[in-house]
Amino acid sequence: MNFSVIRGADTLWGKSFAKALATDNRHLVLIGAKEAPLEALVREIVQKHRILVHYLVADDADTGSIIAACEKINDRFEVDLLINYAETGFHQRLEDYDIRTLDRKLKTNHASGILYLHQLLPNLLLHAHAQVIDLWHCPHPVPAWEQALLTFNKRFAEHLNSELNESGLVIHSVALPAFTVPGSAERVAAILEDVLPHAAERRLLTR
């Protein structure tokens, strides 16, 4: 029994992906920083869909927390899809951040995605057609120096994708619109149908 793991499931975009995947009858593991919205999302999904849904609370700025969450996932679930969602955006100039706040934002916004992928990679590689979708969302225009960080992460995904080509694992990198708009559900559906070709067919069969 395969599960889809969704990071940032307690965010607006994360919820949209969770609901879309639930509609496709995919079992879910939801990861987020806040327990209350995760619990509420689980209740909402299981009331509408006959799937298994679990959640884990993790601090993306804490390496130990990421390792603990991934160890639980690897011990309990088979994962064939990782929605590696990250909210980026620095609202001050670089020089205006104190070192601890900058450290936390860099880890949460940029480094944590690589750590999640690293920890879940052996699990994903057990499946012939596993998928990773790296999602980048910023609610505001990013300064040039942060755009360089985003470009680094996207190029990293491209090179790793090429290296893992023979394994069957495919890594996609997608930039989400700057603002969550009324058409966000359609945007999520389009991404999933592009990455998971049978998603639309399964959705029609379950209606």
Side-chain angles (χ1 to χ4, degrees):
M1 184 180 295
N2 296 338
F3 282 78
S4 301
V5 174
I6 305 174
R7 282 185 58 214
D10 53 349
T11 65
L12 291 174
W13 280 105
K15 290 178 184 177
S16 295
F17 275 92
K19 291 176 181 179
L21 290 169
T23 301
D24 292 336
N25 291 320
R26 286 180 165 265
H27 303 301
L28 306 177
V29 179
L30 310 178
I31 304 176
K34 301 174 183 177
E35 186 167 17
L38 289 173
E39 287 183 336
L41 181 58
V42 170
R43 287 195 299 270
E44 180 181 351
I45 290 174
V46 298
Q47 287 173 359
K48 297 179 180 178
H49 307 282
R50 300 185 65 179
I51 61 172
L52 299 176
V53 188
H54 302 265
Y55 76 86
L56 295 168
V57 177
D59 181 356
D60 284 357
D62 182 346
T63 303
S65 182
I66 293 173
I67 292 173
C70 291
E71 285 181 345
K72 290 179 181 177
I73 293 171
N74 288 330
D75 287 344
R76 303 175 188 177
F77 309 105
E78 294 185 12
V79 178
D80 67 349
L81 174 65
L82 168 62
I83 304 294
N84 209 357
Y85 175 82
E87 289 188 345
T88 67
F90 287 80
H91 309 299
Q92 303 179 67
R93 296 179 304 172
L94 180 63
E95 59 267 31
D96 292 334
Y97 282 97
D98 67 83
I99 187 64
R100 289 178 177 81
T101 303
L102 179 62
D103 176 69
R104 184 172 184 83
K105 286 188 70 65
L106 286 170
K107 287 179 179 176
T108 301
N109 296 2
H110 297 283
S112 58
I114 297 174
L115 297 179
Y116 275 105
L117 176 58
H118 174 269
Q119 291 298 106
L120 296 176
L121 193 56
N123 197 330
L124 289 159
L125 289 175
L126 293 175
H127 303 275
H129 303 288
Q131 307 268 2
V132 176
I133 308 177
D134 286 336
L135 297 167
W136 305 96
H137 172 244
C138 179
H140 304 285
V142 299
W145 63 270
E146 189 185 2
Q147 186 60 54
L149 290 174
L150 290 170
T151 301
F152 165 81
N153 281 280
K154 291 177 182 178
R155 291 298 303 276
F156 171 83
E158 290 173 6
H159 286 292
L160 187 60
N161 196 23
S162 176
E163 183 178 310
L164 295 170
N165 183 53
E166 293 184 2
S167 72
L169 175 67
V170 179
I171 303 173
H172 310 267
S173 191
V174 180
L176 293 170
F179 297 97
T180 306
V181 296
S184 59
E186 288 76 11
R187 174 64 172 149
V188 168
I191 292 170
L192 292 177
E193 287 172 14
D194 183 54
V195 173
L196 309 170
H198 301 297
E201 179 181 343
R202 284 195 302 271
R203 189 177 295 114
L204 289 173
L205 291 173
T206 57
R207 284 178 179 172

